[in-house]
Amino acid sequence: MHTAAEQHARPAPRVHTRDGVLHAHPGESVLETLERHGHHVEFQCRSGYCGACRTTLLAGKVHYPAVPLAFVSQGECLPCCCKPVGAIKLDIQKG
């Protein structure tokens, strides 16, 4: 459990893309943040099962509330089921 002081000390979740900085809402997945800002990401399951949304994670860390079944290499993330820890940078753009 995190104290209120620890919550405030943590930077707000942000997703940096080639298009700019996206501010994540509390509790939403990286995919939900991307979709809310008009990004179209390939996905199938939204639960980390298939790996279709696998994306290059250029910087930062993500948290998986539930361990995904799809393999995730160093420098990758599954936006459908992870949450940003502070600021992250993805190699993605609208299109």
Side-chain angles (χ1 to χ4, degrees):
M1 192 68 60
H2 295 289
T3 66
E6 288 173 325
Q7 290 288 347
H8 291 297
R10 222 182 270 165
R14 295 182 316 280
V15 179
H16 294 258
T17 69
R18 288 188 258 164
D19 299 308
V21 180
L22 315 178
H23 295 275
H25 287 171
E28 75 181 353
S29 70
V30 172
L31 177 61
E32 290 166 334
T33 301
L34 292 167
E35 288 177 330
R36 193 166 43 76
H37 288 90
H39 286 265
H40 299 285
V41 178
E42 183 67 35
F43 70 89
Q44 296 292 322
C45 69
R46 288 191 182 263
S47 62
Y49 180 76
C50 71
C53 66
R54 187 175 284 112
T55 301
T56 302
L57 179 63
L58 298 171
K61 294 182 180 180
V62 295
H63 166 70
Y64 293 94
V67 178
L69 293 177
F71 180 76
V72 184
S73 295
Q74 185 75 20
E76 294 180 336
C77 71
L78 299 175
C80 76
C81 62
C82 71
K83 299 178 187 314
V85 177
I88 64 171
K89 186 173 185 179
L90 301 178
D91 187 20
I92 193 172
Q93 70 182 33
K94 289 182 185 177

